[in-house]
Amino acid sequence: MSTLKLSDLGRVHFIGLGGAGMSAVARVMLGQGVSVSGSDSRDSPGLRALELLGADVFVGQQPENVTDADTVVVSTAIRPDNPELARARALGLRVIHRSEALAAAMDGQDVVAVAGTHGKTTTTAMVTVLLREAGRDPSFAIGGDVAALGVNAALGTGSVFVAEADESDGSFLNYSPRITVITNVEADHLDHYGTEEAVFASFDRFVRLLPADGLLVACADDPGAVAVAGRSGAARVCTYGYGESADIRITDTRAVGSGSVSVLRFSLDGLDCEQELRLLVPGAHNIRNAAAAFAVGLGLGVDPALAAEGLSVFSGAARRFESKGAVRGVRVFDDYAHHPTEVVAALQAARTVAGEHRVHVLFQPHLFSRTLAFAGEFASALELADTATVLDIYAAREDPVDGVTSELISSRVNRPGGYAPDAAQAVKDICRRVEPGDIILTVGAGDVTQYGADFINELSRDDAAAPGVPGADSADAGVRAHAHDAGRPAPRDGHRG
């Protein structure tokens, strides 16, 4: 648990300021009157937005950028040989992790920390939107932009601070929450933890950060979350989910367009209650995320009807089944899913939206370590699509590993598509396969998100054959026949955000 105070930090410099997590902390600190500077390897609208708020922004990372700083903030992605980090250490400057900076910014407020292997961003955003609609004006820091909020972070006037708590490197142990949400717990980030047991041990430590009067909100449908909650020793636990044992039980769900309507059953002040829950976003995982947010709302004294009303306006977080547009009846979506459970949930949501039409996925594995650990599970998840095309691995912070390639996944997928070393050609190939009503879904935590626009452009070309009409080659006609003849796998349940 971090004990740094905001007043301890002085002038703060962020290395990698353009990142979602770093920019969120910087935005909050600027709202608190902190002198902020930061750098990134390339320019971006996010950097310019922070500059307008008063940050000193540098494009390119040079040692002299940290000269005037008292504290330098880094994330796990910053390598030790980064020139700014090396200079900061040489000067003896205070160097802290992003989570420690956020903990200092949250000091003195009632912190709602949302953690879990999947679903953190969406659930954090849902809690924030709910509280805003209820008039609570919370502060918040989220790992992605939210349409209903316009930004990924802000300093509010209320007493509550809602934060996405990242478990990937154990840094969520720096927070001091009054309400903790655990959406799910399973093996991930094994490059950091090494074993599944170490992942669970970290979550165990995290939930024990709650004070005696704190509230733990946990998913009753996830064995990992249930196990962590059972070991927590927390005096106040509220579970949510579809299971009969859930304190907030989801029932009577039905699809309505690309959203859903459900009924939440729960007890309040000793009375059995029901509340209709309408959502604009698809998927059972999002209904669970909304139930978690609803539980937080009740824990903070928000009226159930008002909480549900706030959730009904939630239109999604950036890169969480985000619509990129539609051309000639073909809809294109983008999703950040980078763990097999998340891919399952994203494709289940796509199935709901596609109805009787087909789903085409362009998947980019994220990290060599994750590909090696979960290749079989990724392949199984991609079987939920009608066609599955797999790009090269997005390395991010890792160096290549001998023998670990995307073909570890693609070779196990019994769907048309396969391994695609040329992303531009993959876009063209998928566009030749689609028919009106189909969905194209780009999936992954890397730069695969950029291909959503490429799909829209390719489908919009004047000289392109319209989807589903003569002009595609005979092989694509065979692909369509194969996809329909193969049938669709039975849906499997999943959590993600």
Side-chain angles (χ1 to χ4, degrees):
M1 184 187 304
S2 177
T3 58
L4 282 173
K5 304 295 184 183
L6 200 64
S7 58
D8 297 333
L9 303 185
R11 293 165 295 183
V12 181
H13 180 85
F14 291 79
I15 304 177
L17 180 62
M22 298 286 263
S23 64
V25 182
R27 186 177 285 271
V28 170
M29 285 191 171
L30 286 165
Q32 294 170 313
V34 176
S35 177
V36 169
S37 64
S39 64
D40 213 304
S41 57
R42 61 180 182 272
D43 206 352
S44 67
L47 282 184
R48 295 306 151 197
L50 291 170
E51 186 175 43
L52 290 173
L53 293 175
D56 291 326
V57 171
F58 303 96
V59 177
Q61 296 181 337
Q62 304 295 332
E64 57 267 24
N65 293 344
V66 304
T67 303
D68 294 329
D70 299 302
T71 299
V72 172
V73 181
V74 298
S75 69
T76 307
I78 303 302
R79 293 177 179 261
D81 60 356
N82 179 280
E84 293 185 6
L85 178 56
R87 179 62 172 163
R89 294 201 185 282
L91 292 173
L93 303 180
R94 178 190 292 108
V95 177
I96 63 175
H97 189 272
R98 174 184 55 82
S99 61
E100 295 176 276
L102 180 57
M106 295 191 296
D107 185 50
Q109 301 192 63
D110 294 326
V111 175
V112 177
V114 181
T117 314
H118 328 293
K120 296 183 292 293
T121 298
T122 299
T123 304
T124 308
M126 285 180 166
V127 172
T128 302
V129 170
L130 183 160
L131 293 176
R132 272 201 165 187
E133 293 296 313
R136 299 296 185 91
D137 193 23
S139 301
F140 60 94
I142 306 172
D145 287 339
V146 180
L149 301 171
V151 291
N152 63 338
L155 185 69
T157 60
S159 62
V160 176
F161 198 118
V162 188
E164 180 175 346
D166 180 18
E167 87 289 352
S168 65
D169 54 4
S171 60
F172 62 169
L173 298 177
N174 284 317
Y175 302 143
S176 302
R178 295 200 67 82
I179 297 179
T180 292
V181 179
I182 303 294
T183 58
N184 36 64
V185 185
E186 61 179 312
D188 196 9
H189 306 294
L190 298 183
D191 56 321
H192 172 76
Y193 287 104
T195 65
E196 181 178 24
E197 290 75 18
V199 175
F200 275 83
S202 188
F203 274 93
D204 286 341
R205 292 194 294 273
F206 177 64
V207 297
R208 289 174 188 145
L209 296 174
L210 279 169
D213 60 346
L215 171 65
L216 174 60
V217 176
C219 182
D221 298 340
D222 182 77
V226 170
V228 168
R231 295 191 294 267
S232 69
R236 300 172 60 209
V237 178
C238 178
T239 60
Y240 64 91
Y242 285 94
E244 291 187 5
S245 65
D247 297 314
I248 297 177
R249 186 181 173 204
I250 306 163
T251 65
D252 304 322
T253 294
R254 67 184 191 276
V256 178
S258 60
S260 66
V261 176
S262 303
V263 175
L264 302 180
R265 304 181 191 277
F266 55 97
S267 294
L268 186 64
D269 297 329
L271 300 175
D272 292 335
C273 303
E274 292 185 359
Q275 177 61 54
E276 184 178 79
L277 175 67
R278 292 182 173 270
L279 294 179
L280 298 174
V281 289
H285 62 289
N286 273 324
I287 300 172
R288 287 193 183 89
N289 292 337
F294 184 85
V296 172
L298 294 190
L300 292 171
V302 177
D303 178 79
L306 195 57
E309 183 179 345
L311 291 167
S312 72
V313 305
F314 179 78
S315 54
R319 299 219 58 204
R320 273 68 180 180
F321 208 79
E322 180 182 7
S323 174
K324 308 304 287 188
V327 178
R328 295 175 178 174
V330 178
R331 290 167 289 178
V332 180
F333 294 88
D334 176 53
D335 200 280
Y336 190 70
H338 54 285
H339 182 281
T341 301
E342 297 171 347
V343 176
V344 167
L347 287 170
Q348 286 178 339
R351 282 278 177 227
T352 299
V353 175
E356 295 303 312
H357 299 283
R358 296 183 304 155
V359 174
H360 309 267
V361 62
L362 180 65
F363 176 62
Q364 182 185 55
H366 185 259
L367 300 180
F368 293 95
S369 59
R370 187 178 281 123
T371 301
L372 180 62
F374 300 117
E377 290 88 342
F378 278 125
S380 180
L382 292 173
E383 294 276 347
L384 288 171
D386 291 290
T387 74
T389 303
V390 184
L391 300 177
D392 282 321
I393 296 168
Y394 186 83
R397 59 187 178 271
E398 292 187 338
D399 295 321
V401 177
D402 288 343
V404 179
T405 73
S406 293
E407 291 176 286
L408 288 178
I409 299 171
S410 63
S411 64
R412 306 182 192 190
V413 181
N414 187 30
R415 287 288 181 269
Y419 168 59
D422 185 335
Q425 186 60 48
V427 169
K428 290 182 170 65
D429 292 343
I430 293 171
C431 286
R432 285 200 297 266
R433 293 171 182 159
V434 295
E435 299 172 347
D438 287 358
I439 280 177
I440 297 172
L441 181 64
T442 58
V443 175
D447 58 10
V448 68
T449 184
Q450 70 188 15
Y451 298 115
D454 292 347
F455 278 116
I456 295 299
N457 291 336
E458 182 68 20
L459 290 167
S460 300
R461 284 176 48 182
D462 291 338
D463 60 341
V469 302
D473 59 30
S474 59
D476 286 317
V479 165
R480 287 195 294 273
H482 175 86
H484 285 297
D485 291 345
R488 291 175 180 162
R492 293 171 293 167
D493 207 356
H495 306 297
R496 44 101 50 221

